[in-house]
PDB file of all heavy atoms in Angstrom:
ATOM      1  N   PHE C 230     -75.941  40.220 -40.819  1.00 98.00           N
ATOM      2  CA  PHE C 230     -74.953  39.451 -41.569  1.00 98.00           C
ATOM      3  C   PHE C 230     -75.426  38.006 -41.741  1.00 98.00           C
ATOM      4  O   PHE C 230     -75.968  37.419 -40.814  1.00 98.00           O
ATOM      5  CB  PHE C 230     -73.594  39.473 -40.855  1.00 98.00           C
ATOM      6  CG  PHE C 230     -73.024  40.862 -40.773  1.00 98.00           C
ATOM      7  CD1 PHE C 230     -73.277  41.664 -39.659  1.00 98.00           C
ATOM      8  CD2 PHE C 230     -72.294  41.379 -41.828  1.00 98.00           C
ATOM      9  CE1 PHE C 230     -72.778  42.967 -39.598  1.00 98.00           C
ATOM     10  CE2 PHE C 230     -71.799  42.681 -41.779  1.00 98.00           C
ATOM     11  CZ  PHE C 230     -72.043  43.481 -40.669  1.00 98.00           C
ATOM     12  N   ASP C 231     -75.180  37.467 -42.933  1.00 98.00           N
ATOM     13  CA  ASP C 231     -75.448  36.054 -43.188  1.00 98.00           C
ATOM     14  C   ASP C 231     -74.180  35.265 -42.887  1.00 98.00           C
ATOM     15  O   ASP C 231     -73.070  35.735 -43.166  1.00 98.00           O
ATOM     16  CB  ASP C 231     -75.795  35.826 -44.662  1.00 98.00           C
ATOM     17  CG  ASP C 231     -77.055  36.569 -45.114  1.00 98.00           C
ATOM     18  OD1 ASP C 231     -77.729  37.159 -44.249  1.00 98.00           O
ATOM     19  OD2 ASP C 231     -77.341  36.554 -46.317  1.00 98.00           O
ATOM     20  N   SER C 232     -74.345  34.061 -42.374  1.00 98.00           N
ATOM     21  CA  SER C 232     -73.180  33.194 -42.159  1.00 98.00           C
ATOM     22  C   SER C 232     -73.670  31.758 -42.081  1.00 98.00           C
ATOM     23  O   SER C 232     -74.862  31.504 -41.950  1.00 98.00           O
ATOM     24  CB  SER C 232     -72.451  33.587 -40.868  1.00 98.00           C
ATOM     25  OG  SER C 232     -73.305  33.422 -39.753  1.00 98.00           O
ATOM     26  N   ALA C 233     -72.736  30.828 -42.164  1.00 98.00           N
ATOM     27  CA  ALA C 233     -73.094  29.407 -42.089  1.00 98.00           C
ATOM     28  C   ALA C 233     -72.222  28.730 -41.046  1.00 98.00           C
ATOM     29  O   ALA C 233     -71.001  28.888 -41.049  1.00 98.00           O
ATOM     30  CB  ALA C 233     -72.908  28.730 -43.442  1.00 98.00           C
ATOM     31  N   LEU C 234     -72.869  27.967 -40.203  1.00 97.00           N
ATOM     32  CA  LEU C 234     -72.141  27.257 -39.165  1.00 97.00           C
ATOM     33  C   LEU C 234     -71.068  26.369 -39.809  1.00 97.00           C
ATOM     34  O   LEU C 234     -71.307  25.740 -40.843  1.00 97.00           O
ATOM     35  CB  LEU C 234     -73.123  26.406 -38.359  1.00 97.00           C
ATOM     36  CG  LEU C 234     -72.807  26.239 -36.895  1.00 97.00           C
ATOM     37  CD1 LEU C 234     -72.692  27.565 -36.171  1.00 97.00           C
ATOM     38  CD2 LEU C 234     -73.862  25.383 -36.225  1.00 97.00           C
ATOM     39  N   GLY C 235     -69.892  26.345 -39.202  1.00 96.00           N
ATOM     40  CA  GLY C 235     -68.811  25.504 -39.714  1.00 96.00           C
ATOM     41  C   GLY C 235     -68.188  26.025 -40.989  1.00 96.00           C
ATOM     42  O   GLY C 235     -67.359  25.348 -41.596  1.00 96.00           O
ATOM     43  N   GLY C 236     -68.593  27.221 -41.422  1.00 96.00           N
ATOM     44  CA  GLY C 236     -68.069  27.738 -42.691  1.00 96.00           C
ATOM     45  C   GLY C 236     -68.509  26.902 -43.877  1.00 96.00           C
ATOM     46  O   GLY C 236     -67.870  26.868 -44.922  1.00 96.00           O
ATOM     47  N   LEU C 237     -69.627  26.197 -43.707  1.00 95.00           N
ATOM     48  CA  LEU C 237     -70.136  25.354 -44.795  1.00 95.00           C
ATOM     49  C   LEU C 237     -70.412  26.194 -46.036  1.00 95.00           C
ATOM     50  O   LEU C 237     -70.612  27.396 -45.958  1.00 95.00           O
ATOM     51  CB  LEU C 237     -71.433  24.656 -44.359  1.00 95.00           C
ATOM     52  CG  LEU C 237     -71.255  23.448 -43.427  1.00 95.00           C
ATOM     53  CD1 LEU C 237     -72.612  23.007 -42.877  1.00 95.00           C
ATOM     54  CD2 LEU C 237     -70.586  22.291 -44.162  1.00 95.00           C
ATOM     55  N   GLY C 238     -70.459  25.528 -47.167  1.00 92.00           N
ATOM     56  CA  GLY C 238     -70.819  26.236 -48.384  1.00 92.00           C
ATOM     57  C   GLY C 238     -69.827  26.082 -49.510  1.00 92.00           C
ATOM     58  O   GLY C 238     -70.182  26.141 -50.671  1.00 92.00           O
ATOM     59  N   GLY C 239     -68.562  25.844 -49.155  1.00 80.00           N
ATOM     60  CA  GLY C 239     -67.557  25.670 -50.198  1.00 80.00           C
ATOM     61  C   GLY C 239     -67.593  26.804 -51.199  1.00 80.00           C
ATOM     62  O   GLY C 239     -68.216  27.840 -50.978  1.00 80.00           O
ATOM     63  N   CYS C 240     -66.889  26.620 -52.277  1.00 75.00           N
ATOM     64  CA  CYS C 240     -66.891  27.607 -53.353  1.00 75.00           C
ATOM     65  C   CYS C 240     -67.120  26.848 -54.646  1.00 75.00           C
ATOM     66  O   CYS C 240     -66.301  26.031 -55.037  1.00 75.00           O
ATOM     67  CB  CYS C 240     -65.563  28.350 -53.399  1.00 75.00           C
ATOM     68  SG  CYS C 240     -65.447  29.484 -54.794  1.00 75.00           S
ATOM     69  N   PRO C 241     -68.258  27.092 -55.301  1.00 77.00           N
ATOM     70  CA  PRO C 241     -68.546  26.328 -56.518  1.00 77.00           C
ATOM     71  C   PRO C 241     -67.505  26.565 -57.613  1.00 77.00           C
ATOM     72  O   PRO C 241     -67.420  25.790 -58.556  1.00 77.00           O
ATOM     73  CB  PRO C 241     -69.916  26.844 -56.959  1.00 77.00           C
ATOM     74  CG  PRO C 241     -70.343  27.856 -55.976  1.00 77.00           C
ATOM     75  CD  PRO C 241     -69.264  28.075 -54.971  1.00 77.00           C
ATOM     76  N   TYR C 242     -66.696  27.621 -57.469  1.00 74.00           N
ATOM     77  CA  TYR C 242     -65.702  27.916 -58.510  1.00 74.00           C
ATOM     78  C   TYR C 242     -64.320  27.423 -58.145  1.00 74.00           C
ATOM     79  O   TYR C 242     -63.374  27.568 -58.895  1.00 74.00           O
ATOM     80  CB  TYR C 242     -65.713  29.417 -58.824  1.00 74.00           C
ATOM     81  CG  TYR C 242     -67.125  29.881 -59.078  1.00 74.00           C
ATOM     82  CD1 TYR C 242     -67.858  30.518 -58.094  1.00 74.00           C
ATOM     83  CD2 TYR C 242     -67.747  29.589 -60.290  1.00 74.00           C
ATOM     84  CE1 TYR C 242     -69.183  30.874 -58.303  1.00 74.00           C
ATOM     85  CE2 TYR C 242     -69.063  29.938 -60.515  1.00 74.00           C
ATOM     86  CZ  TYR C 242     -69.784  30.584 -59.512  1.00 74.00           C
ATOM     87  OH  TYR C 242     -71.091  30.914 -59.725  1.00 74.00           O
ATOM     88  N   ALA C 243     -64.168  26.870 -56.961  1.00 72.00           N
ATOM     89  CA  ALA C 243     -62.896  26.255 -56.554  1.00 72.00           C
ATOM     90  C   ALA C 243     -63.231  25.215 -55.504  1.00 72.00           C
ATOM     91  O   ALA C 243     -63.193  25.464 -54.310  1.00 72.00           O
ATOM     92  CB  ALA C 243     -61.933  27.308 -56.009  1.00 72.00           C
ATOM     93  N   LYS C 244     -63.568  24.030 -55.973  1.00 75.00           N
ATOM     94  CA  LYS C 244     -64.008  22.952 -55.082  1.00 75.00           C
ATOM     95  C   LYS C 244     -62.949  22.651 -54.026  1.00 75.00           C
ATOM     96  O   LYS C 244     -61.799  22.430 -54.342  1.00 75.00           O
ATOM     97  CB  LYS C 244     -64.265  21.671 -55.899  1.00 75.00           C
ATOM     98  CG  LYS C 244     -65.492  21.755 -56.817  1.00 75.00           C
ATOM     99  CD  LYS C 244     -66.806  21.506 -56.072  1.00 75.00           C
ATOM    100  CE  LYS C 244     -68.007  21.694 -57.023  1.00 75.00           C
ATOM    101  NZ  LYS C 244     -69.216  22.149 -56.353  1.00 75.00           N
ATOM    102  N   GLY C 245     -63.363  22.655 -52.789  1.00 73.00           N
ATOM    103  CA  GLY C 245     -62.425  22.380 -51.699  1.00 73.00           C
ATOM    104  C   GLY C 245     -62.028  23.654 -50.969  1.00 73.00           C
ATOM    105  O   GLY C 245     -61.538  23.602 -49.850  1.00 73.00           O
ATOM    106  N   ALA C 246     -62.228  24.789 -51.619  1.00 76.00           N
ATOM    107  CA  ALA C 246     -61.911  26.056 -50.951  1.00 76.00           C
ATOM    108  C   ALA C 246     -63.000  26.371 -49.927  1.00 76.00           C
ATOM    109  O   ALA C 246     -64.041  25.719 -49.880  1.00 76.00           O
ATOM    110  CB  ALA C 246     -61.785  27.178 -51.977  1.00 76.00           C
ATOM    111  N   SER C 247     -62.763  27.382 -49.139  1.00 82.00           N
ATOM    112  CA  SER C 247     -63.674  27.722 -48.042  1.00 82.00           C
ATOM    113  C   SER C 247     -64.989  28.307 -48.533  1.00 82.00           C
ATOM    114  O   SER C 247     -65.064  28.864 -49.628  1.00 82.00           O
ATOM    115  CB  SER C 247     -63.005  28.714 -47.101  1.00 82.00           C
ATOM    116  OG  SER C 247     -61.910  28.104 -46.482  1.00 82.00           O
ATOM    117  N   GLY C 248     -66.011  28.205 -47.673  1.00 92.00           N
ATOM    118  CA  GLY C 248     -67.345  28.649 -48.037  1.00 92.00           C
ATOM    119  C   GLY C 248     -67.761  29.941 -47.362  1.00 92.00           C
ATOM    120  O   GLY C 248     -67.009  30.906 -47.318  1.00 92.00           O
ATOM    121  N   ASN C 249     -68.987  29.925 -46.858  1.00 96.00           N
ATOM    122  CA  ASN C 249     -69.508  31.095 -46.154  1.00 96.00           C
ATOM    123  C   ASN C 249     -68.630  31.409 -44.943  1.00 96.00           C
ATOM    124  O   ASN C 249     -67.956  30.538 -44.399  1.00 96.00           O
ATOM    125  CB  ASN C 249     -70.921  30.803 -45.624  1.00 96.00           C
ATOM    126  CG  ASN C 249     -71.960  30.747 -46.716  1.00 96.00           C
ATOM    127  OD1 ASN C 249     -72.572  31.749 -47.061  1.00 96.00           O
ATOM    128  ND2 ASN C 249     -72.165  29.572 -47.293  1.00 96.00           N
ATOM    129  N   VAL C 250     -68.679  32.656 -44.532  1.00 98.00           N
ATOM    130  CA  VAL C 250     -68.011  32.972 -43.279  1.00 98.00           C
ATOM    131  C   VAL C 250     -68.663  32.105 -42.198  1.00 98.00           C
ATOM    132  O   VAL C 250     -69.888  31.901 -42.198  1.00 98.00           O
ATOM    133  CB  VAL C 250     -68.109  34.484 -42.956  1.00 98.00           C
ATOM    134  CG1 VAL C 250     -69.530  34.940 -42.744  1.00 98.00           C
ATOM    135  CG2 VAL C 250     -67.249  34.820 -41.742  1.00 98.00           C
ATOM    136  N   ALA C 251     -67.847  31.553 -41.301  1.00 98.00           N
ATOM    137  CA  ALA C 251     -68.354  30.624 -40.289  1.00 98.00           C
ATOM    138  C   ALA C 251     -69.079  31.379 -39.172  1.00 98.00           C
ATOM    139  O   ALA C 251     -68.515  32.296 -38.574  1.00 98.00           O
ATOM    140  CB  ALA C 251     -67.205  29.808 -39.705  1.00 98.00           C
ATOM    141  N   THR C 252     -70.301  30.962 -38.909  1.00 98.00           N
ATOM    142  CA  THR C 252     -71.102  31.604 -37.859  1.00 98.00           C
ATOM    143  C   THR C 252     -70.334  31.709 -36.545  1.00 98.00           C
ATOM    144  O   THR C 252     -70.320  32.760 -35.896  1.00 98.00           O
ATOM    145  CB  THR C 252     -72.407  30.816 -37.639  1.00 98.00           C
ATOM    146  OG1 THR C 252     -73.089  30.727 -38.891  1.00 98.00           O
ATOM    147  CG2 THR C 252     -73.302  31.484 -36.610  1.00 98.00           C
ATOM    148  N   GLU C 253     -69.679  30.619 -36.148  1.00 98.00           N
ATOM    149  CA  GLU C 253     -69.021  30.603 -34.848  1.00 98.00           C
ATOM    150  C   GLU C 253     -67.817  31.548 -34.794  1.00 98.00           C
ATOM    151  O   GLU C 253     -67.531  32.134 -33.743  1.00 98.00           O
ATOM    152  CB  GLU C 253     -68.628  29.175 -34.432  1.00 98.00           C
ATOM    153  CG  GLU C 253     -67.689  28.439 -35.379  1.00 98.00           C
ATOM    154  CD  GLU C 253     -68.399  27.682 -36.490  1.00 98.00           C
ATOM    155  OE1 GLU C 253     -69.423  28.173 -36.999  1.00 98.00           O
ATOM    156  OE2 GLU C 253     -67.890  26.608 -36.878  1.00 98.00           O
ATOM    157  N   ASP C 254     -67.101  31.705 -35.922  1.00 98.00           N
ATOM    158  CA  ASP C 254     -65.977  32.643 -35.932  1.00 98.00           C
ATOM    159  C   ASP C 254     -66.492  34.082 -35.886  1.00 98.00           C
ATOM    160  O   ASP C 254     -65.905  34.946 -35.230  1.00 98.00           O
ATOM    161  CB  ASP C 254     -65.099  32.423 -37.171  1.00 98.00           C
ATOM    162  CG  ASP C 254     -64.316  31.113 -37.095  1.00 98.00           C
ATOM    163  OD1 ASP C 254     -64.223  30.537 -35.988  1.00 98.00           O
ATOM    164  OD2 ASP C 254     -63.804  30.663 -38.130  1.00 98.00           O
ATOM    165  N   LEU C 255     -67.594  34.298 -36.586  1.00 98.00           N
ATOM    166  CA  LEU C 255     -68.222  35.624 -36.544  1.00 98.00           C
ATOM    167  C   LEU C 255     -68.728  35.933 -35.135  1.00 98.00           C
ATOM    168  O   LEU C 255     -68.535  37.039 -34.613  1.00 98.00           O
ATOM    169  CB  LEU C 255     -69.369  35.664 -37.567  1.00 98.00           C
ATOM    170  CG  LEU C 255     -70.203  36.934 -37.624  1.00 98.00           C
ATOM    171  CD1 LEU C 255     -69.333  38.173 -37.841  1.00 98.00           C
ATOM    172  CD2 LEU C 255     -71.250  36.832 -38.742  1.00 98.00           C
ATOM    173  N   LEU C 256     -69.362  34.927 -34.509  1.00 98.00           N
ATOM    174  CA  LEU C 256     -69.852  35.119 -33.133  1.00 98.00           C
ATOM    175  C   LEU C 256     -68.705  35.460 -32.202  1.00 98.00           C
ATOM    176  O   LEU C 256     -68.807  36.380 -31.385  1.00 98.00           O
ATOM    177  CB  LEU C 256     -70.545  33.841 -32.626  1.00 98.00           C
ATOM    178  CG  LEU C 256     -71.923  33.538 -33.196  1.00 98.00           C
ATOM    179  CD1 LEU C 256     -72.403  32.175 -32.690  1.00 98.00           C
ATOM    180  CD2 LEU C 256     -72.918  34.631 -32.824  1.00 98.00           C
ATOM    181  N   TYR C 257     -67.608  34.707 -32.297  1.00 98.00           N
ATOM    182  CA  TYR C 257     -66.462  34.997 -31.431  1.00 98.00           C
ATOM    183  C   TYR C 257     -66.058  36.455 -31.580  1.00 98.00           C
ATOM    184  O   TYR C 257     -65.914  37.187 -30.592  1.00 98.00           O
ATOM    185  CB  TYR C 257     -65.253  34.081 -31.747  1.00 98.00           C
ATOM    186  CG  TYR C 257     -64.031  34.566 -30.998  1.00 98.00           C
ATOM    187  CD1 TYR C 257     -63.849  34.239 -29.661  1.00 98.00           C
ATOM    188  CD2 TYR C 257     -63.113  35.441 -31.591  1.00 98.00           C
ATOM    189  CE1 TYR C 257     -62.785  34.743 -28.936  1.00 98.00           C
ATOM    190  CE2 TYR C 257     -62.054  35.959 -30.870  1.00 98.00           C
ATOM    191  CZ  TYR C 257     -61.888  35.611 -29.544  1.00 98.00           C
ATOM    192  OH  TYR C 257     -60.851  36.135 -28.823  1.00 98.00           O
ATOM    193  N   MET C 258     -65.866  36.887 -32.828  1.00 98.00           N
ATOM    194  CA  MET C 258     -65.370  38.248 -33.056  1.00 98.00           C
ATOM    195  C   MET C 258     -66.340  39.297 -32.534  1.00 98.00           C
ATOM    196  O   MET C 258     -65.944  40.235 -31.828  1.00 98.00           O
ATOM    197  CB  MET C 258     -65.075  38.488 -34.535  1.00 98.00           C
ATOM    198  CG  MET C 258     -64.449  39.871 -34.778  1.00 98.00           C
ATOM    199  SD  MET C 258     -64.106  40.226 -36.521  1.00 98.00           S
ATOM    200  CE  MET C 258     -65.776  40.628 -37.088  1.00 98.00           C
ATOM    201  N   LEU C 259     -67.611  39.136 -32.876  1.00 98.00           N
ATOM    202  CA  LEU C 259     -68.606  40.136 -32.459  1.00 98.00           C
ATOM    203  C   LEU C 259     -68.689  40.214 -30.939  1.00 98.00           C
ATOM    204  O   LEU C 259     -68.676  41.303 -30.361  1.00 98.00           O
ATOM    205  CB  LEU C 259     -69.976  39.814 -33.064  1.00 98.00           C
ATOM    206  CG  LEU C 259     -70.085  39.949 -34.588  1.00 98.00           C
ATOM    207  CD1 LEU C 259     -71.452  39.446 -35.054  1.00 98.00           C
ATOM    208  CD2 LEU C 259     -69.858  41.392 -35.053  1.00 98.00           C
ATOM    209  N   HIS C 260     -68.790  39.066 -30.296  1.00 98.00           N
ATOM    210  CA  HIS C 260     -68.915  39.063 -28.829  1.00 98.00           C
ATOM    211  C   HIS C 260     -67.682  39.698 -28.193  1.00 98.00           C
ATOM    212  O   HIS C 260     -67.792  40.486 -27.251  1.00 98.00           O
ATOM    213  CB  HIS C 260     -69.135  37.640 -28.311  1.00 98.00           C
ATOM    214  CG  HIS C 260     -70.450  37.051 -28.753  1.00 98.00           C
ATOM    215  ND1 HIS C 260     -70.807  35.762 -28.495  1.00 98.00           N
ATOM    216  CD2 HIS C 260     -71.494  37.583 -29.453  1.00 98.00           C
ATOM    217  CE1 HIS C 260     -72.017  35.515 -28.993  1.00 98.00           C
ATOM    218  NE2 HIS C 260     -72.439  36.608 -29.591  1.00 98.00           N
ATOM    219  N   GLU C 261     -66.494  39.346 -28.720  1.00 98.00           N
ATOM    220  CA  GLU C 261     -65.246  39.904 -28.171  1.00 98.00           C
ATOM    221  C   GLU C 261     -65.182  41.419 -28.399  1.00 98.00           C
ATOM    222  O   GLU C 261     -64.550  42.143 -27.630  1.00 98.00           O
ATOM    223  CB  GLU C 261     -64.047  39.194 -28.816  1.00 98.00           C
ATOM    224  CG  GLU C 261     -62.701  39.483 -28.197  1.00 98.00           C
ATOM    225  CD  GLU C 261     -62.536  38.974 -26.765  1.00 98.00           C
ATOM    226  OE1 GLU C 261     -63.312  38.120 -26.322  1.00 98.00           O
ATOM    227  OE2 GLU C 261     -61.602  39.469 -26.099  1.00 98.00           O
ATOM    228  N   MET C 262     -65.863  41.883 -29.441  1.00 98.00           N
ATOM    229  CA  MET C 262     -65.916  43.326 -29.703  1.00 98.00           C
ATOM    230  C   MET C 262     -66.981  44.013 -28.851  1.00 98.00           C
ATOM    231  O   MET C 262     -67.164  45.227 -28.944  1.00 98.00           O
ATOM    232  CB  MET C 262     -66.201  43.584 -31.193  1.00 98.00           C
ATOM    233  CG  MET C 262     -65.034  43.223 -32.111  1.00 98.00           C
ATOM    234  SD  MET C 262     -65.420  43.414 -33.874  1.00 98.00           S
ATOM    235  CE  MET C 262     -65.078  45.173 -34.104  1.00 98.00           C
TER     236      MET C 262
END
Side-chain angles (χ1 to χ4, degrees):
Chain C
F230 297 92
D231 298 353
S232 62
L234 213 57
L237 283 170
C240 175
Y242 310 99
K244 291 279 176 210
S247 295
N249 288 270
V250 63
T252 304
E253 59 272 36
D254 289 344
L255 177 55
L256 286 175
Y257 171 81
M258 185 181 77
L259 293 174
H260 294 175
E261 190 66 17
M262 290 176 85

